[in-house]
């Protein structure tokens, strides 16, 4: 038998077709958006330009999701090697540098999301000094959100807002890589030390005994005492917001990679096992894990895409435990297979998203059953992980 007699596995064929379809959509969106930014979610399955906000014009670099667009461009370059994707990705560095210089919408812990994808990546790959300086400035600004003596990074808003004071959220686990990079880049451990302490607090308090997670958690900003868990975008304080559980899988796994604390790997496994146990038949979670088949509730394809990436990251961290690693890789493959077959927009030119049927914030009726910018990014990351041997994570 010769090599030409061997047919690719059906998963390999479908994944390759999904990559081709996704890149076609990314290329069309380069023509549409250029160095401007799509909205957080689609409207009737198409992204409009980001609406004007905070005195900034339509399509401006505001909000927490803008970096997922250049993040997709870097992934497209990974998948194709095409210089046009490199040029398109680099075209966003100026905007992110200006966002720091002019203090545009910086009152958020999501500086980690924003500057890891948009500036740390070009700093690593091309040595771009502007990107490096902007990312270090973002890390410095993120450090201003560390609240002593609790040692947590406050999530949203003005640090003096009593409603937000002492509050962090599970998404913050994905923002700490910016701080680890800053310590490696500068040789100053204070960034990584803040990330280590913050992550330890979340492991101890945002992860519940039953393996589910709170979306948000409060500490007393004066004493540092843990207070209570709540939700902001889940069904109820006692339920488990699906995207938050997916952030837990990926975030604890990432922080284990940076810190090496086996307790973080155990936390990631706990999140993963509970997430997988609550999945419906097609392996794509409903927007809150309280809901299942027959509930009439919406799926969140973005939670599925995040989990698919996180499960592979978790498997990579398991070392000699090959049986567990294989189980998590198989689960990730099942989720990705379902996203490709039932949620992707390949063959649906009316949409400029990569995957549909996501949920941003169901309680506030924002972005319900739509494409989401982060869902598209993590779907493309999952495809890159499945396609490129030894793929290098930006996180």
């Amino acid at each position: 038998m010769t090599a030409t007699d061997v047919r690719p596995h059906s998963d390999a064929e479908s994944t390759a077709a999904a990559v081709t379809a996704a890149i076609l959509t990314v290329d069309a969106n380069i023509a549409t958006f250029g160095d401007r930014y799509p909205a957080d979610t689609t409207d009737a399955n198409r992204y409009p330009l980001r609406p004007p906000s905070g005195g900034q014009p339509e399509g401006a670099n505001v909000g927490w999701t803008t970096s997922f667009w250049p993040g997709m461009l870097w992934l497209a370059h990974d998948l194709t090697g095409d210089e046009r994707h490199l040029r398109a990705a680099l075209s966003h560095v100026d905007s992110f540098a200006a966002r720091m210089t002019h203090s545009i919408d910086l009152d958020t812990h999501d500086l980690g999301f924003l500057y890891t994808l948009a500036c740390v990546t070009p700093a690593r790959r091309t040595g771009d000094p502007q990107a490096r300086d902007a990312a270090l400035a973002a890390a410095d600004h993120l450090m201003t959100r560390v609240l002593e003596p609790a040692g947590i990074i406050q999530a949203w808003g003005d640090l003096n807002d009593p409603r937000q004071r002492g509050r962090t959220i599970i998404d913050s686990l994905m923002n700490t890589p910016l701080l680890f990079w800053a310590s490696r880049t500068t040789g100053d451990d204070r960034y990584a030390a803040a990330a280590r302490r913050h992550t330890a607090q979340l492991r101890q308090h945002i992860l519940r005994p039953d393996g589910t997670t709170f979306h948000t958690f409060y500490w007393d900003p004066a004493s540092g005492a843990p207070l209570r868990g709540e939700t902001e975008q889940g069904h109820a304080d006692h339920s488990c917001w699906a995207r938050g559980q997916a952030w837990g899988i990926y975030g604890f796994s990432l922080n284990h990679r940076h810190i090496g604390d086996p307790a973080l790997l155990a936390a990631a496994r706990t999140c993963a096992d509970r997430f997988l146990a609550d999945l419906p038949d097609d392996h794509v979670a409903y927007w809150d894990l309280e809901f299942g088949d027959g509930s009439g509730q919406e799926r969140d394809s973005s939670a599925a895409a995040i989990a698919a990436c996180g499960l592979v990251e978790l498997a990579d961290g398991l070392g000699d435990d090959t049986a567990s690693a294989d189980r998590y890789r198989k689960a990730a493959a099942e989720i990705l297979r379902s996203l490709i077959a039932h949620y992707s927009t390949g063959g649906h030119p009316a949409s400029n998203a990569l995957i549909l049927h996501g949920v941003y914030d169901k309680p506030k009726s924002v972005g319900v059953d739509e494409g989401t910018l982060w869902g598209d990014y993590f779907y493309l990351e999952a495809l890159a992980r499945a396609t490129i041997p030894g793929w290098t994570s930006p996180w």
Side-chain angles (χ1 to χ4, degrees):
M1 180 181 289
T2 65
T4 56
D5 296 322
V6 179
R7 287 184 57 81
H9 188 276
S10 59
D11 271 1
E13 291 177 331
S14 64
T15 301
V19 168
T20 298
I23 295 300
L24 286 172
T25 299
V26 168
D27 287 346
N29 285 341
I30 291 172
T32 299
F33 298 114
D35 57 6
R36 297 181 297 173
Y37 298 92
D40 295 327
T41 71
T42 61
D43 182 359
N45 296 329
R46 284 195 66 83
Y47 289 109
L49 280 169
R50 188 163 293 258
S53 176
Q56 298 299 310
E58 185 180 50
N61 188 352
V62 293
W64 71 275
T65 69
T66 49
S67 66
F68 293 117
W69 173 223
M72 281 186 265
L73 298 173
W74 286 111
L75 289 171
H77 184 248
D78 289 343
L79 288 159
T80 68
D82 196 312
E83 287 296 307
R84 74 182 185 280
H85 296 134
L86 176 62
R87 291 192 299 271
L90 286 170
S91 74
H92 291 274
V93 171
D94 285 348
S95 175
F96 279 86
R99 184 166 174 171
M100 287 304 308
T101 299
H102 300 294
S103 299
I104 299 169
D105 195 18
L106 301 181
D107 287 339
T108 175
H109 70 146
D110 287 319
L111 293 169
F113 271 131
L114 291 164
Y115 283 84
T116 299
L117 292 178
C119 289
V120 172
T121 298
R124 282 173 170 156
R125 296 191 185 188
T126 71
D128 187 315
Q130 184 184 35
R132 177 187 182 277
D133 290 349
L136 287 174
D140 284 335
H141 196 81
L142 185 55
M143 289 291 288
T144 69
R145 304 189 68 79
V146 176
L147 300 184
E148 297 289 351
I152 57 96
I153 301 169
Q154 180 170 309
W156 304 303
D158 188 324
L159 290 171
N160 296 313
D161 181 348
R163 172 67 182 126
Q164 305 300 341
R165 189 78 173 161
R167 182 191 225 187
T168 197
I169 64 174
I170 195 164
D171 316 34
S172 63
L173 291 167
M174 300 294 296
N175 286 285
T176 56
L178 176 65
L179 299 178
F180 292 117
W181 170 82
S183 277
R184 288 193 300 273
T185 300
T186 64
D188 186 343
D189 188 60
R190 66 188 178 90
Y191 303 101
R196 289 192 296 267
R197 188 174 179 198
H198 174 81
T199 301
Q201 286 281 55
L202 265 67
R203 181 187 64 79
Q204 294 172 38
H205 298 294
I206 213 160
L207 183 60
R208 297 173 175 132
D210 68 354
T212 63
T213 52
F214 291 111
H215 179 190
T216 80
F217 200 92
Y218 284 89
W219 283 260
D220 185 296
S223 70
L227 297 177
R228 66 190 182 279
E230 294 182 354
T231 196
E232 185 70 23
Q233 291 168 240
H235 173 61
D237 289 343
H238 68 268
S239 70
C240 185
W241 180 50
R243 191 158 75 250
Q245 192 77 4
W247 290 135
I249 299 169
Y250 203 170
F252 282 123
S253 298
L254 277 181
N255 281 277
H256 169 261
R257 167 150 60 85
H258 288 285
I259 298 170
D261 183 352
L264 299 178
L265 193 65
R269 293 188 68 164
T270 297
C271 290
D273 291 344
R274 185 57 190 256
F275 185 88
L276 295 174
D278 289 344
L279 286 184
D281 288 344
D282 79 342
H283 307 287
V284 173
Y286 288 83
W287 69 276
D288 193 290
L289 296 185
E290 183 157 296
F291 303 118
D293 290 332
S295 65
Q297 296 289 322
E298 293 84 6
R299 309 300 181 101
D300 183 8
S301 60
S302 75
I306 295 160
C309 295
L311 288 164
V312 176
E313 183 72 33
L314 171 56
D316 287 346
L318 287 172
D320 293 336
D321 187 356
T322 56
S324 294
D326 288 347
R327 179 167 66 88
Y328 292 127
R329 290 185 197 282
K330 179 182 177 183
E334 288 172 337
I335 292 170
L336 181 58
R337 188 180 303 125
S338 186
L339 288 173
I340 291 170
H342 305 297
Y343 295 81
S344 72
T345 57
H348 300 282
S351 179
N352 61 355
L354 301 188
I355 53 173
L356 300 177
H357 307 303
V359 173
Y360 184 176
D361 189 337
K362 177 66 183 286
K364 301 180 187 65
S365 299
V366 176
V368 178
D369 196 27
E370 294 285 357
T372 68
L373 208 54
W374 59 91
D376 284 359
Y377 169 82
F378 285 104
Y379 172 67
L380 196 58
E381 182 181 306
L383 290 173
R385 285 176 175 274
T387 303
I388 303 171
W391 177 78
T392 301
S393 169
W395 307 103

